Amino acid sequence: MHLWEIPTFSSMKHVLSLNRSSRNAVLHLVSAYSIEQLNHIPPGFSNNLAWNLGHIIVTQQGLVYGLSGLPTLVSKEMIDRYKKGTRPEGFIGEDEIREMKRLLFATLDQTERDYAEGRFVHFTEFPIATVGHVLQNIDDALLFNDYHEGIHFGMMLHLRKFI
């Protein structure tokens, strides 16, 4: 079986459960810092803890909902602010941080419901140049999302050493 092939709903429930555990760790990490610390960009870095929080949310939305041709659960403005290739444009306020903390789990809860209901019928294949793989279906997207969030959680752990 290919690494990316997950044949059963039960296995995908495990993937989504892993995503929930990862997001709990992210929430725990960001909750330990002040708004100023979340916004601090250390020398040599191009982003901060707050940006990584938003990026995790919008990337999942693009991979799962966008590639499936479904409306995202977050605004276009949020996607434009935190998508790949962006950087923090200014101070990210407490209201926005609070909303991102809520969205960490609201988006995941809805993804779990939508997956269980079979809403992810169509999928646009998407090449991931950094790993040399093409996402071919929703299961690939969910698996890759866990990998992607793990990378950014690692970056967040690294960033916090300089705050």
Side-chain angles (χ1 to χ4, degrees):
M1 177 185 304
H2 190 273
L3 172 66
W4 294 91
E5 293 179 61
I6 300 294
T8 66
F9 175 70
S10 174
S11 296
M12 287 316 296
K13 283 177 61 175
H14 182 71
V15 168
L16 290 164
S17 175
L18 177 61
N19 194 199
R20 184 169 300 281
S21 295
S22 172
R23 287 185 174 204
N24 274 318
V26 167
L27 178 62
H28 181 74
L29 187 147
V30 298
S31 295
Y33 293 95
S34 70
I35 191 73
E36 290 78 18
Q37 290 171 314
L38 293 172
N39 277 278
H40 178 68
I41 302 173
F45 288 84
S46 61
N47 56 52
N48 54 33
L49 293 173
W51 180 89
N52 276 278
L53 177 61
H55 180 71
I56 284 169
I57 295 163
V58 303
T59 299
Q60 184 264 2
Q61 289 293 289
L63 289 169
V64 174
Y65 286 86
L67 293 176
S68 295
L70 297 172
T72 60
L73 307 173
V74 300
S75 69
K76 181 180 179 337
E77 293 77 24
M78 183 177 185
I79 291 169
D80 288 344
R81 189 167 180 179
Y82 296 103
K83 68 185 177 184
K84 180 180 179 180
T86 64
R87 295 174 185 218
E89 297 174 357
F91 191 82
I92 301 166
E94 289 195 39
D95 289 344
E96 189 170 358
I97 296 292
R98 189 173 21 263
E99 177 64 2
M100 287 191 290
K101 287 177 179 180
R102 185 192 71 78
L103 286 169
L104 266 179
F105 297 98
T107 55
L108 185 56
D109 292 343
Q110 188 62 51
T111 299
E112 288 174 337
R113 286 190 297 271
D114 290 342
Y115 188 88
E117 293 170 8
R119 289 199 62 215
F120 301 108
V121 176
H122 304 287
F123 193 85
T124 302
E125 288 189 358
F126 187 75
I128 305 294
T130 55
V131 296
H133 187 78
V134 176
L135 303 181
Q136 297 178 348
N137 55 51
I138 189 61
D139 293 349
D140 284 358
L142 290 167
L143 280 165
F144 180 76
N145 183 66
D146 280 0
Y147 166 80
H148 176 264
E149 290 190 18
I151 289 171
H152 283 277
F153 182 61
M155 179 55 70
M156 294 170 85
L157 291 172
H158 187 63
L159 273 166
R160 74 180 182 167
K161 293 178 183 179
F162 300 96
I163 294 176

